[in-house]
Amino acid sequence: MKDNIYLKTLEKHVEDNGTCAMKNKGIQGYENGAFQNEADQFSLEEKLGKTSRTKKKKDKEMGVGFFQLFRFATCRDVLLMVTGGFCALVHGAASPLMLLVYGMMTDTFVAYELEQQELKDTRKICTNGTISWRNGSVYETSENSTVVCGVNIEEQMTMFAFYYVGIGLGVLCVSYCQIAFWVTAAAHQVQQIRKTYFRKVMRMEIGWFDCNSVGELNTRISDDINKINNAIADQVSIFIERISTFCFGFMVGFMGSWKLTLVVIAVSPLIGLGAGLMAMFVAKLTGQELKAYAKAGAVADEVLSAIRTVAAFGGEKKEVERYDQNLVEAQNWGIRKGAIMGLFQGYLWCIIFLCYALAFWYGSKLVIEDRELSAGGLIQVFFGVLFAAMNLGQASPCLEAFASGRGAAKLIFETIDRQPEIDCLSEEGYKLDKVKGDIEFHNITFYYPSRPEVKILDQINMVIETGKTTAFVGPSGTGKSTALQLIQRFYEPQEGTVTLDGHDIRGLNIRWLRSLIGIVEQEPVLFATTIAENIQYGREDATMEEIIQAAKEANAYNFIMDLPEKFDTLVGKGGSQMSGGQKQRIAIARALLRNPRILLLDMATSALDNKSEALVQDALNKVRSGRTTISIAHRLSTIRNADVIIGFDHGQAVERGTHDQLLKKKGVYFTLVTLQNEGGTAMLDKTSQKAVKEHFVELARDQSMRFSKGSYTASLRNSIRARSRSQLSNIFPATISGNTDTSFIDNTVSNEQTEKKTKSSADEEKEHPASVIRILKYNSPEWLYMLFGTLAAAANGAVNPVYAILFSQILGTFSIPNLDEQTRQINGICVLFTVVAGMSFVTQFLQGYTFGKSGELLTRRLRKMGFQAMMNQEVSWFDDPKNCPGALTTRLATDASQVQGATGTQIGMIVNSLTNVGASIIIAFYFSWKLSLLVLCFLPFIGLSGAFQAKMLTGFANQDKEALEAAGQVSSEALNNIRTIAGLAKEDSFVQLYEQQLELPYKAATKKAKVYGVFFAFAKCVIFMAYAASFRLGGFLVSSEGIHYSVVFRVISAIVISGTALGRASSFTPDYAKAKVAAAQLFKLFDRIPKISLQSDQGEVWDSFRGELEFINCKFTYPTRPDVQILRGLQISVKPGQTLAFVGSSGCGKSTSIQLLERFYDPEEGQVLIDGYSSKDINVSFLRSKIGIVSQEPVLFDSSIAENIKYGDNTRDVSMEEVVDAARKAYLHDFVMALPNKYETHVGSQGSQLSRGEKQRIAIARAIVRNPKILLLDEATSALDTESEKIVQAALDEARQGRTCIVIAHRLSTIQNADVIAVMSQGVIIEKGTHEELMGRRGAYYNLVTSGAPLS
């Protein structure tokens, strides 16, 4: 399994690195060189050439040399490791050394027993150490040999006990040193690696980040460095110890008898082969199982992320079936894995018992016939070789850890050794004494490192004068933002130079250069700290007065002072507690605090509503004077007053002048202004509208042709570029939007506090473990498998106690004086060993297969039921952060498989262990209760040490992960926002912060090393102490009570075996506990009754559905934000076939009213009537089947265009004719037919292979296929550019015919023709009527249309 996970990680690295190669292949769907989202990566990754992948994979698997892993070791670390290594070597010799003592002890017992048997004859006495007749003559056996006597068994056993105690104490010391030293040294080295790696990553140029996803870098910082830690910490010392035992074990074997050693060695490869094949098959099958489940997981993630779409189109049952289909494959791989494991386990045990039979049979020949060995020598040789072989086998997991560490280190060390092309922490370069601020571009040619074949800037020349405001305009993808990035020296141009006051910026000190520049972006990044600290990032040495002044200049002071905590208000992760306008103004304050000579504004107001935009624009206008200001905007109204406007087209500056001059030139600027005015006022006459429509249909066809050739064009690049979801209208000046509901802003802080409270209460609210009976009920269909499995497991459990009897019996036979009887008995015992071997093979296979199958069937059943239960929940359940898609998919993946910890294979293991313990203890007490009681005192320690060692081998990685969480948050925030940090030249601050956060985990790791050392040492030495005490008592019982010495061996080996079984059983307790908690979480989900149930057949259903809608005094607050009332008495009605348009500011309740109609939520007061029925009384599935919806960000599924359109009606099988018909109505058909695969074209994850306009038209076609009576359009065109909007709007107008329609839009042109326009503010309707009526009233709507003033 470990091996497989390692391979998976490597594959992930290869895939992620492959994305860069992919970018180089001409997929031009992005503007800033970074992928839009992970979905793009996957769709692109599919196209990756397999040959390059396998080649890269081989490269990665090679990793770095093992000793190179220690390159960060100091002299102290080396000393610790050498000392620890020596201790491990000595520790490894302890077990073989113990065997020498064990062998001598066996010989002593045999000699004593033979003496006692001879002395039973009263005619014999012991004189001078030999047995003689009472008449004085020496007694001789039939082989003419004398018999030694005078063995003082108790004295001898005391001596052996001291040997054991001595070895035990030695082991205690060396094993502590071995672990503590290596873990301490590793902790220090890993801390150095983390520091060095993070510092180096923060030095990298931005182009490097384009080729390395942030997620991957975060994984490397956490997981990959943990793998290095596993490879250089305790695993090395354990490996040395095991190899040492291996060498000394063989040495002891060869010293005792080279013949027997060679016989045992000859059989060993069979065991090695079995173990190797098992590991290989299990790794392969686990890989296949994970891959199959990953598919199911991807389905779950896709569906849960799009739960509103699934609910709206009634796709729940369809999705559960789709999920289950993927689970079948995973289940089948899992069953195969169980069978293979059972088969190989059976094979291994069979070989081991056959090996016992062979060794004891041949060994006894050497003892009895050849007289080459004593009984003790036989034990010494056999166990010496056995220990050696076992330790060699146990060393292999260490090799896995080393390989994994080497693979991980390759990527880490490559990054550490890489020299950044632009070193942002470098001290080199000039700093000018006086800066004017003139910027010039001389013949600049540039392409992104990730896309060398796409020229972004082509021989561009331009001058930006100091003290003037220069605006860059042009279509998306023409290089405007790129030019700003070159000024900040995020990239180096391939040709030409950028100069500041005549100096090539490549010769200037980079941190000094960036300190001159203030930048405000479209999506400003705030850090998870207070407002004051966020502003202070502009300049570290700023005083509070300067921060306040900057806030005033940015129009941010007033809203900050209205907050309860004022400047100490936390902004939340990524500024999540602030509205868009507030974030922008804080970012402007941060930029102004630097007092920058150069101010760069990259679409700084595009994502804002009117009120916020007015405030932010006002702030920007104030601060422009006296600085070199460069502004990029899509809303041309914001830049018409610029001193100079530069028009960009195809990577060149094609025109330059003022607003009026450029309008006269009739170039790029003129075209953009004309398009926007057309869009804004919709004043075109009918004929020109028709012409424009034809032009756009032609354009769409042209786009689709280029799409089919595998490259998006510049005009489409706009739609692929990653943009804010909340962006309302980045192109049209005539937007209809105001600022966010102020009550929300006032509550931001209290929200954060309530969020914290809920979080802590959630932590406190631990799940009560589920009852095992209920878990087993879900497994009841497999009762027959489980019955056979339990019987097989019980038989397997009895095998080890039987071994204890047979082993002690063989030792006992050596004290039989009659050699023929001795041989006969030994042969009989060896036959029994072969019988046990055959039985083991059958029962192990049965146990593995039956429990494997029952466990996999249960996992699939629970996953399906879990997913089904999720699908049945109401939409508000998914709003809870605990139920976000990521958390739910993880829950499905882990909880269902963890439940196997209380069923399946675990039951087998537990039955096995319990039978083992039970049978062993019965045997022990039957033969000697006194000795059994003493050995039982050590049993808990032996058991615990076994369990503890099982835990140790899995490593302490999980604890480390928790300790590193704080550091992980710093690194994650830094890497996610690397452009902002680079722009602020704050890399050093984050590096220092990260290094501070590493101190605590380092201290914890050194402390852990000591604790771990103590436990490890105790676990290792306890067995020696147990032997010392029990054999000493055994000697006493043999001497005083006359029990046979074989009973001593039988009792001790039986109980020691049961101890290890107990250890194995106790190592399952964490899994068992986890299983009960995981089951409890699943059962809680199964038992939850949704507030709005899809499953029930109750509720009104009627035939003549007309689509008459009425909202009566509806009041509503979202369950996750109970302190913010959204609707405060919504009252409005729509007649069948009418179109109602909602307008109003963001957050006033427009989208909420649509969600009440879909019955995603129910109003708290009032009611929603549909054809006179209350929505609460209507059957949910019936209601939703009558409604079609097209939203601002339509969600498409990762399947073909046809499948996505068919999704509109999941109650029947939609024919292809209907799909084509719907596509024609949605103006989509021509575009689809121009694609190579037509309707079978895959849209990519979340539709990533399509532009926004194309996605919108598929969503419209999907709604049309449904043939709904009610059509809901929620800002369906707001995120589109002018061209796409025309086509989509035409499609929407067609779709509205003959249907009741509710439209929400920020753009006036899209709603002028509505039958009723309702203006909303603060959750109520403030006026309604037609466009003409409302314009005549000269109220809020009139003001909005004429001046763009806010509503509230």
Side-chain angles (χ1 to χ4, degrees), residues 983-1247:
L984 293 167
K986 282 284 165 282
E987 293 92 348
D988 230 5
S989 312
F990 276 88
V991 169
Q992 282 165 15
L993 185 60
Y994 182 72
E995 289 182 355
Q996 280 167 20
Q997 297 290 357
L998 285 180
E999 284 308 310
L1000 214 63
Y1002 173 61
K1003 282 176 185 160
T1006 48
K1007 184 179 168 191
K1008 180 198 74 186
K1010 297 184 180 79
V1011 176
Y1012 180 13
V1014 167
F1015 276 103
F1016 181 85
F1018 173 76
K1020 289 292 184 182
C1021 95
V1022 71
I1023 190 84
F1024 294 97
M1025 302 306 173
Y1027 277 156
S1030 45
F1031 278 117
R1032 174 66 191 85
L1033 178 65
F1036 168 75
L1037 293 175
V1038 168
S1039 143
S1040 60
E1041 297 190 6
I1043 65 170
H1044 194 272
Y1045 72 87
S1046 65
V1047 170
V1048 175
F1049 282 99
R1050 188 168 302 160
V1051 169
I1052 293 173
S1053 52
I1055 292 186
V1056 167
I1057 284 169
S1058 75
T1060 53
L1062 191 69
R1064 269 210 312 280
S1066 61
S1067 72
F1068 301 134
T1069 47
D1071 289 348
Y1072 180 68
K1074 273 185 205 161
K1076 287 171 72 175
V1077 172
Q1081 285 181 324
L1082 281 171
F1083 296 158
K1084 189 174 163 189
L1085 179 62
F1086 296 167
D1087 299 341
R1088 186 180 187 276
I1089 298 164
K1091 292 172 189 165
I1092 300 172
S1093 176
L1094 287 171
Q1095 294 306 92
S1096 77
D1097 297 325
Q1098 297 167 342
E1100 300 287 345
V1101 175
W1102 64 97
D1103 293 331
S1104 54
F1105 191 98
R1106 301 194 317 282
E1108 183 177 351
L1109 309 175
E1110 191 172 1
F1111 291 86
I1112 301 174
N1113 195 27
C1114 290
K1115 293 185 179 175
F1116 179 73
T1117 55
Y1118 283 105
T1120 47
R1121 277 195 289 150
D1123 47 353
V1124 182
Q1125 190 162 12
I1126 304 295
L1127 298 182
R1128 305 180 178 192
L1130 177 66
Q1131 186 100 20
I1132 193 153
S1133 60
V1134 195
K1135 296 280 180 283
Q1138 279 192 336
T1139 296
L1140 163 68
F1142 280 130
V1143 297
S1145 59
S1146 311
C1148 69
K1150 305 184 297 293
S1151 298
T1152 305
S1153 53
I1154 280 186
Q1155 299 201 54
L1156 293 185
L1157 192 57
E1158 280 269 17
R1159 214 164 160 225
F1160 289 166
Y1161 305 93
D1162 283 331
E1164 285 153 14
E1165 286 180 40
Q1167 52 186 172
V1168 180
L1169 299 183
I1170 294 111
D1171 285 1
Y1173 296 94
S1174 169
S1175 61
K1176 291 182 185 178
D1177 302 332
I1178 303 172
N1179 179 284
V1180 179
S1181 302
F1182 169 75
L1183 172 63
R1184 288 181 186 165
S1185 71
K1186 301 295 178 190
I1187 301 174
I1189 185 164
V1190 183
S1191 52
Q1192 178 183 6
E1193 285 281 334
V1195 174
L1196 300 186
F1197 295 99
D1198 189 2
S1199 56
S1200 66
I1201 292 175
E1203 288 293 323
N1204 270 293
I1205 295 174
K1206 286 179 181 177
Y1207 203 86
D1209 195 342
N1210 289 304
T1211 55
R1212 61 194 175 90
D1213 196 17
V1214 179
S1215 70
M1216 205 57 212
E1217 288 74 35
E1218 290 175 90
V1219 170
V1220 173
D1221 186 46
R1224 285 186 200 280
K1225 287 181 181 168
Y1227 290 80
L1228 178 72
H1229 182 69
D1230 293 343
F1231 159 73
V1232 175
M1233 295 312 284
L1235 298 173
N1237 297 332
K1238 304 190 168 46
Y1239 281 93
E1240 291 311 307
T1241 303
H1242 258 256
V1243 302
S1245 178
Q1246 296 175 358

Side-chain angles (χ1 to χ4, degrees), residues 765-781:
E765 183 196 313
K766 291 264 168 72
E767 295 293 344
H768 293 296
S771 76
V772 182
I773 306 296
R774 184 170 176 191
I775 298 175
L776 289 174
K777 268 184 192 164
Y778 283 97
N779 221 163
S780 56

Side-chain angles (χ1 to χ4, degrees), residues 99 204 442 885 1021 1046 1099 1284:
L99 284 177
M204 291 298 176
H442 302 276
C1021 95
S1046 65
S1284 313

Side-chain angles (χ1 to χ4, degrees), residues 106 125 249 352 358 528 744 879 1055 1104 1121 1154 1189 1192 1256:
T106 308
I125 55 166
I352 286 170
L358 175 67
F744 167 66
D879 294 342
I1055 292 186
S1104 54
R1121 277 195 289 150
I1154 280 186
I1189 185 164
Q1192 178 183 6
Q1256 284 290 24

Side-chain angles (χ1 to χ4, degrees), residues 59-97:
D59 275 359
K60 296 234 161 73
E61 279 172 353
M62 285 170 72
V64 298
F66 178 68
F67 290 104
Q68 282 177 277
L69 291 177
F70 301 97
R71 60 186 269 192
F72 289 92
T74 59
C75 293
R76 176 174 172 270
D77 296 334
V78 173
L79 184 68
L80 284 173
M81 290 188 294
V82 169
T83 315
F86 176 73
C87 289
L89 200 70
V90 174
H91 179 193
S95 298
L97 189 66

Side-chain angles (χ1 to χ4, degrees), residues 414 454 573 792 854 885 948 1115:
E414 267 176 11
V454 183
K573 188 179 178 186
S854 69
F948 185 75
K1115 293 185 179 175

Side-chain angles (χ1 to χ4, degrees), residues 671-966:
T671 311
L672 288 167
V673 171
T674 313
L675 269 174
Q676 288 202 3
N677 288 342
E678 281 172 5
T681 55
M683 297 296 268
L684 292 171
D685 63 348
K686 292 278 177 198
T687 52
S688 59
Q689 274 185 0
K690 191 178 174 195
V692 165
K693 190 169 158 188
E694 282 168 6
H695 164 70
F696 282 125
V697 170
E698 190 59 43
L699 220 155
R701 206 171 286 135
D702 183 37
Q703 286 175 359
S704 62
M705 290 301 290
R706 282 178 278 186
F707 177 89
S708 67
K709 287 172 193 159
S711 87
Y712 291 94
T713 52
S715 55
L716 269 175
R717 210 174 283 137
N718 168 33
S719 53
I720 292 289
R721 191 175 182 192
R723 285 267 170 82
S724 142
R725 281 177 181 271
S726 64
Q727 187 177 340
L728 304 175
S729 44
N730 52 6
I731 298 175
F732 287 83
T735 50
I736 300 177
S737 58
N739 95 316
T740 320
D741 187 345
T742 49
S743 60
F744 167 66
I745 293 163
D746 296 338
N747 283 303
T748 47
V749 180
S750 62
N751 267 357
E752 184 170 276
Q753 283 156 359
T754 48
E755 210 175 280
K756 279 182 187 166
K757 279 178 198 163
T758 24
K759 203 172 180 185
S760 56
S761 64
D763 289 346
E764 285 161 25
E765 183 196 313
K766 291 264 168 72
E767 295 293 344
H768 293 296
S771 76
V772 182
I773 306 296
R774 184 170 176 191
I775 298 175
L776 289 174
K777 268 184 192 164
Y778 283 97
N779 221 163
S780 56
E782 290 78 44
W783 70 270
L784 199 63
Y785 285 113
M786 293 173 79
L787 176 68
F788 278 111
T790 306
L791 293 173
N796 284 330
V799 162
N800 277 330
V802 167
Y803 155 76
I805 293 175
L806 297 179
F807 164 65
S808 59
Q809 201 60 39
I810 280 187
L811 288 184
T813 55
F814 291 121
S815 66
I816 298 171
N818 183 331
L819 297 184
D820 293 335
E821 177 62 17
Q822 226 177 338
T823 309
R824 195 184 60 74
Q825 281 202 20
I826 285 176
N827 290 346
I829 294 168
C830 290
V831 169
L832 282 175
F833 266 125
T834 56
V835 172
V836 171
M839 190 181 84
S840 262
F841 180 74
V842 176
T843 53
Q844 286 282 0
F845 171 71
L846 261 179
Q847 181 184 335
Y849 174 71
T850 52
F851 281 123
K853 182 153 188 176
S854 69
E856 287 300 329
L857 288 165
L858 173 73
T859 301
R860 176 189 161 197
R861 186 173 299 122
L862 291 177
R863 277 177 175 159
K864 183 181 177 182
M865 288 175 72
F867 189 62
Q868 206 161 11
M870 287 171 188
M871 289 288 95
N872 293 339
Q873 300 306 321
E874 73 279 6
V875 170
S876 64
W877 183 76
F878 294 93
D879 294 342
D880 187 333
K882 281 189 292 192
N883 301 324
C884 66
L888 293 178
T889 41
T890 308
R891 212 179 290 175
L892 281 174
T894 52
D895 284 2
S897 55
Q898 275 180 352
V899 172
Q900 277 203 50
T903 65
T905 326
Q906 296 294 69
I907 292 184
M909 300 288 193
I910 290 164
V911 168
N912 187 323
S913 297
L914 293 180
T915 318
N916 191 330
V917 172
S920 299
I921 288 175
I922 290 167
I923 289 169
F925 274 91
Y926 174 76
F927 286 106
S928 169
W929 65 269
K930 290 180 181 171
L931 186 54
S932 299
L933 281 176
L934 173 72
V935 188
L936 274 179
C937 295
F938 287 95
L939 188 61
F941 297 116
I942 296 171
L944 283 173
S945 75
F948 185 75
Q949 272 173 279
K951 169 155 170 41
M952 283 180 327
L953 295 183
T954 58
F956 279 74
N958 297 345
Q959 289 179 19
D960 292 347
K961 270 185 187 166
E962 283 170 29
L964 284 163
E965 255 175 25

